[in-house]
Amino acid sequence: MHALIDRTLANIGSTSLDLAARRFGRVVACDGGLIEVSGLGVPIGTICSIAQGQNSVHRAETIGFRNGHTMMMMLGDTVLLRPGAVVRPEGMPGMLSVGTEFLGRAVDGSGEPIDGGAPVLAGASWPAGGYRVGALDRSRVTEIFDSGIRSLNALTTFGIGQRVGIMAGSGVGKSVLMDMIVDNAKADAVVVGLIGERAREVSDFVTRHMAGERAAKTAIVAVPADHAANLRLRGAMLATSIAEHLRSQGKRVLLILDSLTRVAHAAREIGILLGEPGAARGYPPSALSTITKLIERAGNSEQSGGAITGVYTVLADGDDQNDPVVDTARAILDGHIVLSRDLAQRGQYPAVDVGASLSRVMNDIVPPEHATAARRFRALSASYEANRDLVMMGAYRQGSDPLLDEAIAMHPRMSQFLSQGYRESIDLAAAQQQLVGLVNHDA
């Protein structure tokens, strides 16, 4: 308690006293979560407080301008909002508080604690959209990232600084796979953004991962699905900004964002409120560009030597792998893991679809023997899945296709290889050894 008081007083002492007159505006219109304010010209991204009597204060974010009015979006409900309410700007426009103070804490999209602890007194500021750097500052991916999951380590090997998507429909196991990666991660810091998820899932995640030694190097930013769209978007930006700040200190950071689709949904709501036309299945262009901007902020830094390994879950609406969000993410990511509902229904977990999954950097970071064994495994798996119905009906005559004959004989062992228990961890060396032994028919 004394340390907290000392830090608070030190922050107050280091803050310069602003004696300038404070500007304010007034609410003149409200349409859903979008409000219009007259008499207050502030930059986009500015957070403003809206006085509602003596004890009630709302907060809103500036998102645009129209006909001389400032357009804002509420960070909460519009209940009790009234015409003529006084609106005042606060904080630094477009800047977020970041720092190592967030490690060991769980906060919301505004940086306010949700873990019952004291306020996070972060002293550093970071642009919500990050610092734009040259393309050559993103150094190559040369080191392996051990995920602890046998199928991923063996067949879609990750690299430190790689950006990977986990793509699947609802209820196929994205969150469980994400949990397993967090459990087995070897990183200086882990930053998790839970955006647009169920509140119960957020509570479960915080309970599991904010205990023990790992809690001290884990930061969680959680904005459940019932929160305002701009608050969900700010949560994704805050998680990414915290990871970027840690990377600038030379740390190797694992950034988990669950889910990228919910971020796109939030950006779509904001775009539609501003009158932007829907393009791809109702998604405005700004919603899809938000995804690419977030993803491009992860990666290796040539300047600091730090790295952000990004793992993004992507919800395929209706199991459609050509959904605009899925397609956009797949095009910009350095690899993608596709989870199959059919495999999950057969009882294979994690339900990784080997044929549809790939890591774009794998061949550059694994030994030739490993890469050759992975290609052989993929060929056998693809042959079996393409002819599965014939095999099940008994319509296939053995000897017609030597590759398929081998795949049928090895199928039980291949399925066992791809399956793994939730609490089980298989390191990279073990996964590679088991893969090579499997394709070489070792007993």
Side-chain angles (χ1 to χ4, degrees):
M1 178 59 71
H2 290 293
L4 176 61
I5 294 174
D6 291 340
R7 289 202 307 271
T8 304
L9 293 176
N11 285 341
I12 294 174
S14 62
T15 303
S16 59
L17 185 61
D18 185 6
L19 298 177
R22 294 196 65 189
R23 295 175 297 162
F24 69 91
R26 293 191 180 274
V27 175
V28 295
C30 175
D31 183 9
L34 185 68
I35 61 176
E36 295 186 28
V37 177
S38 66
L40 182 65
V42 291
I44 290 177
T46 302
I47 300 297
C48 296
S49 61
I50 305 175
Q52 290 292 100
Q54 295 182 350
N55 300 320
S56 178
V57 176
H58 288 259
R59 300 177 78 232
E61 179 183 5
T62 305
I63 60 174
F65 311 99
R66 181 183 299 159
N67 300 327
H69 290 167
T70 301
M71 315 300 293
M72 297 185 182
M73 190 171 184
M74 299 290 290
L75 292 176
D77 295 327
T78 56
V79 177
L80 299 180
L81 183 68
R82 68 175 189 272
V86 176
V87 183
R88 290 188 173 90
E90 59 182 41
M92 294 182 293
M95 301 298 288
L96 298 173
S97 296
V98 297
T100 55
E101 293 85 356
F102 282 96
L103 296 178
R105 302 301 305 274
V107 300
D108 63 12
S110 299
E112 300 296 328
I114 60 174
D115 54 8
V120 179
L121 301 176
S125 296
W126 199 268
Y131 289 106
R132 180 163 297 190
V133 297
L136 296 183
D137 184 66
R138 289 288 181 261
S139 55
R140 296 178 63 244
V141 177
T142 57
E143 297 182 52
I144 293 176
F145 177 85
D146 190 346
S147 67
I149 302 172
R150 178 167 45 215
S151 56
L152 304 188
N153 279 343
L155 302 171
T156 56
T157 311
F158 298 170
I160 294 175
Q162 185 177 356
R163 292 85 52 86
V164 182
I166 301 175
M167 302 173 176
S170 58
V172 183
K174 297 184 303 299
S175 297
V176 174
L177 187 62
M178 178 194 74
D179 257 10
M180 295 173 69
I181 293 174
V182 173
D183 281 338
N184 299 310
K186 296 178 177 64
D188 298 327
V190 178
V191 181
V192 182
L194 302 175
I195 310 301
E197 299 301 318
R198 298 177 291 275
R200 178 201 57 79
E201 188 174 3
V202 171
S203 178
D204 289 348
F205 190 92
V206 172
T207 301
R208 286 195 304 271
H209 295 283
M210 298 304 284
E213 298 180 357
R214 288 180 305 170
K217 66 174 186 177
T218 303
I220 297 177
V221 181
V223 189
D226 60 341
H227 286 57
N230 53 339
L231 193 58
R232 281 178 268 147
L233 190 57
R234 286 181 70 85
M237 291 181 175
L238 176 59
T240 306
S241 296
I242 293 172
E244 283 183 310
H245 180 259
L246 294 172
R247 180 182 61 188
S248 70
Q249 298 176 341
K251 295 182 183 294
R252 294 186 172 186
V253 184
L254 172 63
L255 171 64
I256 304 280
L257 197 59
D258 182 21
S259 75
L260 209 59
T261 305
R262 306 300 188 196
V263 174
H265 288 176
R268 177 174 62 184
E269 289 183 42
I270 296 173
I272 291 175
L273 273 177
L274 289 173
E276 192 176 354
R281 300 193 190 178
Y283 286 98
S286 63
L288 299 179
S289 68
T290 298
I291 296 175
T292 60
K293 290 175 183 177
L294 273 178
I295 293 173
E296 275 297 290
R297 292 169 65 178
N300 292 326
S301 172
E302 186 76 34
Q303 181 179 6
S304 69
I308 297 177
T309 304
V311 178
Y312 304 87
T313 66
V314 185
L315 175 64
D317 289 332
D319 288 345
D320 183 7
Q321 293 295 327
N322 293 318
D323 178 83
V325 176
V326 177
D327 200 41
T328 300
R330 186 168 51 220
I332 197 70
L333 288 165
D334 301 322
H336 51 271
I337 309 301
V338 178
L339 303 184
S340 166
R341 191 176 298 277
D342 289 339
L343 293 176
Q345 291 171 346
R346 295 179 208 165
Q348 176 183 309
Y349 287 98
V352 177
D353 185 340
V354 175
S357 304
L358 97 100
S359 170
R360 301 181 194 273
V361 304
M362 178 177 175
N363 289 335
D364 297 330
I365 59 178
V366 300
E369 182 185 20
H370 183 173
T372 301
R375 285 195 295 270
R376 181 64 176 172
F377 188 102
R378 285 176 176 275
L380 292 170
S381 177
S383 178
Y384 183 86
E385 292 299 329
N387 297 279
R388 176 181 172 80
D389 291 342
L390 290 176
V391 174
M392 292 294 102
M393 291 188 300
Y396 172 72
R397 178 180 297 178
Q398 189 173 4
S400 301
D401 184 347
L403 182 64
L404 181 54
D405 291 338
E406 184 180 358
I408 294 173
M410 293 180 60
H411 180 68
R413 293 180 63 195
M414 293 170 65
S415 296
Q416 184 179 9
F417 178 85
L418 294 173
S419 300
Q420 183 173 331
Y422 175 66
R423 297 297 181 187
E424 189 179 0
S425 178
I426 310 295
D427 64 25
L428 183 73
Q432 178 182 338
Q433 183 180 6
Q434 293 173 19
L435 173 65
V436 173
L438 178 63
V439 299
N440 291 337
H441 305 284
D442 292 348

